[in-house]
Amino acid sequence: MVVYELSEEQANKVFRALADATRRDIVRRTLRAEVSVSELAASYDMSFAAVQKHVAALEAAGLVSKIARGRERIVRGQPDTIRHAQELLSSLEEIWRQRISRLDDFLADGDK
């Protein structure tokens, strides 16, 4: 049973954001522990501004949140959004499993 569904717009934002390897890595890291934007920027071979843009895209998709802690901006992953995306993927998988099962049944009936 799906308790919460992503809207079509939100699902598009989530999967668009996750299409980028750097963004997926940021999500993985921030789900493990809170990380400052500065720490993230030091981990990648790109400018601080580029990392900020990646974080902003993830934040817009609801995959991370950013909070101010003094002068730092701390990024934390949002596991609920990941869970909702997984629920969406699971429901799509179930549709395909049902279709394959019906196709198997059809082909089995044709062999008789």
Side-chain angles (χ1 to χ4, degrees):
M1 177 176 89
V2 176
V3 175
Y4 171 86
E5 290 186 14
L6 293 174
S7 69
E8 194 72 25
E9 180 183 351
Q10 185 67 20
N12 288 341
K13 286 181 183 180
V14 166
F15 291 114
R16 205 172 292 125
L18 292 173
D20 182 86
T22 300
R23 291 180 186 154
R24 288 191 305 273
D25 189 58
I26 290 171
V27 169
R28 275 191 291 272
R29 292 183 64 194
T30 59
L31 286 170
R32 286 187 199 117
E34 295 179 346
V35 184
S36 72
V37 175
S38 299
E39 289 174 294
L40 288 171
S43 301
Y44 302 106
D45 189 26
M46 62 182 72
S47 69
F48 182 84
V51 172
Q52 281 183 308
K53 286 182 180 180
H54 281 300
V55 170
L58 292 168
E59 191 174 25
L63 291 162
V64 301
S65 61
K66 197 167 53 176
I67 58 168
R69 189 174 292 154
R71 292 178 53 190
E72 290 186 314
R73 297 298 173 258
I74 305 299
V75 184
R76 65 172 62 140
Q78 296 298 311
D80 285 345
T81 303
I82 297 292
R83 196 172 303 111
H84 300 318
Q86 179 59 45
E87 289 171 359
L88 173 60
L89 291 173
S90 292
S91 68
L92 294 173
E93 180 183 11
E94 182 58 29
I95 290 169
W96 278 102
R97 286 185 184 280
Q98 289 172 2
R99 287 182 179 181
I100 290 170
S101 178
R102 286 194 309 263
L103 181 59
D104 286 345
D105 293 344
F106 175 77
L107 292 175
D109 286 346
D111 289 341
K112 292 180 182 179

